[in-house]
Structure formats: structure tokens, C-alpha cells
Amino acid sequence: RTRSAASSAPTASTSPRTAAVMNKKALLVGCNYPGTQAALRGCVNDVWSMRDLLIQVKGFDASNIRVMIDTDPRYEKPTGANIKRALADLIQRSRAGDILVTKPFLSVFLAAHVAHMQLHRT
């Protein structure tokens, strides 16, 4: 599917100010659990696929996509504390008009074994 320039232009009902300041921000988390009995193989690959989709299809700027993976020491480790901190940072840095958790854009993507985690509002 191709995208025409007209399809991304602001409409009369769109505020020029909102269109100008809108950012699309994402947190992508991939946990393969290497070296454990719970090791997975595709979660980090899923993160890279989602990153490519967000950039190439959804128009995200690569600088607004934060990646956490457990297979490469060059990237932040996806510990519970780091994920909570990254989510808080994502929310704190957001401004009116930013896309964080609004459809059709995905802002938080987790590929891993999932366990219940209690989040506390502050």
C-alpha cells in the first residue's frame, strides 16, 4: 500500500499547532532469557520487526523508539525496574498531541514470557 502526500496532510478539523508538535513515541521490549531454562528465540527478532514497522509504515522517527533487549549489552536490559522507569519517562516526556497509547499506533511492545506485574499510580 502506498501513501500519498495528501493523505498525511492536516485536514481543516486538525489544529495546525497539534499537527506540528505531535510525536510518535514507542518503547519496545524483547526478552529472550538467554542462558536460562525459560529461553526463547524470537522475542528480540519481534522487537526489531516491530521497530521496522513503526518506522517504515507508521512514520515513527527512530530517535523516538526506545529498545530494551536482553541479548546485546549495547542496549538497556529489560529488568522490571528499567521497564517501569522507561514507561514513566515515556509519560513524563509526552506533550499534548503526542501519540503514546492511542490507536492505530502502538507505543509499548513486549515480546517475552509474561507475568502479572502490579503498577502503582503516583
Side-chain angles (χ1 to χ4, degrees), residues 19-75:
V21 299
M22 181 187 74
N23 285 299
K24 301 173 187 175
K25 299 175 183 175
L27 170 62
L28 308 180
V29 180
C31 300
N32 277 359
Y33 309 100
T36 71
Q37 291 181 349
L40 298 171
R41 295 186 184 163
C43 298
V44 171
N45 292 337
D46 292 345
V47 163
W48 296 125
S49 294
M50 179 58 69
R51 182 181 180 277
D52 289 346
L53 178 127
L54 291 175
I55 293 168
Q56 296 169 11
V57 177
K58 297 297 183 182
F60 278 63
D61 186 304
S63 67
N64 286 333
I65 299 175
R66 187 169 179 177
V67 172
M68 295 180 148
I69 57 175
D70 61 358
T71 57
D72 187 332
R74 294 175 294 179
Y75 292 88

Side-chain angles (χ1 to χ4, degrees), residues 79-102:
T79 64
N82 286 347
I83 293 169
K84 287 178 186 179
R85 190 173 18 260
L87 288 169
D89 184 54
L90 187 69
I91 292 166
Q92 183 180 11
R93 291 185 305 119
S94 66
R95 301 290 177 250
D98 285 356
I99 294 175
L100 297 178
V101 188
T102 329

